[in-house]
């Protein structure tokens, strides 16, 4: 299974439209996860022309009380993987990598992959066994209005692999 991951589109709040290359990059994905700060449900409608969409509620999303695709958090199981889609990843204390104490610890027994947005900075990392995927922003990378990044998560043969893709 291939999952397209996008976040922080801020349409039309900061930019007018999704990058043109997005259709090419997401061609053939089975599902799209949006990490929030969508700003207009029309963005989800456009993405849904490619594949089914689920979205996390971002701190700039004020339209979403009526959109069933949007929840504060989504918990889903895809094959053997337990995913959590959220906008704002609980901040890891600077020493969490060394002390092993983190706000993510309560999720260790129930989560394999966390997809998040909010930062506008692409990131693929691990905290203990949890794969962390932040696609950055598709339209405002590092808060600059230009084509940014998305991610592709591939779940195959019991393995999960993620890649960040540039839309420019």
């Amino acid at each position: 299974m291939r999952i397209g991951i996008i976040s922080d589109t801020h349409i039309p709040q900061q930019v007018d439209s999704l990058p043109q290359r997005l259709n090419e990059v997401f061609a053939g994905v089975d599902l799209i996860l949006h990490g929030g700060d969508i700003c207009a449900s029309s963005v989800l409608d456009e993405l849904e022309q490619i594949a089914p969409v689920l979205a996390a509620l971002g701190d700039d999303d004020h339209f979403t009380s009526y959109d069933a695709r949007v929840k504060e958090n989504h918990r889903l199981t895809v094959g053997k993987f337990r995913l959590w889609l959220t906008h704002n990843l609980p901040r890891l204390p600077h020493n969490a990598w060394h002390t092993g104490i983190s706000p993510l610890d309560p999720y260790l027994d129930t989560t394999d992959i966390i997809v998040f947005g909010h930062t506008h900075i692409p990131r693929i990392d691990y905290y203990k066994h949890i794969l962390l995927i932040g696609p950055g922003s598709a339209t405002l990378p590092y808060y600059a209005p230009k084509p940014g990044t998305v991610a592709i998560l591939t779940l195959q043969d019991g393995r999960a692999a993620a890649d960040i893709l540039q839309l420019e």
Side-chain angles (χ1 to χ4, degrees), residues 5 74-76 80-86 89-90 92 96-97 100-116 123-134 153 155 159-162:
I5 302 173
H74 285 272
R75 304 281 279 157
L76 54 148
K80 75 170 207 155
F81 296 98
R82 300 161 301 171
L83 281 79
W84 177 34
L85 171 62
T86 188
L89 181 70
L92 296 173
W97 304 103
I101 300 169
S102 161
L104 294 179
D105 287 348
Y107 304 101
L108 289 174
D109 292 334
T110 61
T111 307
D112 301 304
I113 301 167
I114 299 176
V115 174
F116 64 96
R123 175 182 176 192
I124 297 174
D125 207 344
Y126 279 90
Y127 175 74
K128 298 188 179 180
H129 73 273
I130 300 174
L131 175 59
L132 306 173
I133 306 170
L153 171 61
L155 304 174
R159 292 181 301 201

Side-chain angles (χ1 to χ4, degrees), residues 50-93:
I50 302 169
V53 177
L54 297 175
L57 182 66
D59 55 315
D60 286 330
D61 292 328
H62 306 293
F63 71 94
T64 52
S65 61
Y66 59 87
D67 195 317
R69 298 170 290 194
V70 181
K71 294 182 181 177
E72 187 170 340
N73 299 290
H74 285 272
R75 304 281 279 157
L76 54 148
T77 301
V78 180
K80 75 170 207 155
F81 296 98
R82 300 161 301 171
L83 281 79
W84 177 34
L85 171 62
T86 188
H87 179 61
N88 200 354
L89 181 70
R91 193 170 298 271
L92 296 173

Side-chain angles (χ1 to χ4, degrees), residues 9-29:
T9 47
H10 291 275
I11 295 171
Q13 183 188 52
Q14 300 286 331
V15 294
D16 293 330
S17 61
L18 293 169
Q20 290 182 332
R21 188 160 181 258
L22 186 66
N23 284 337
E24 172 192 332
V25 170
F26 279 179
V29 299

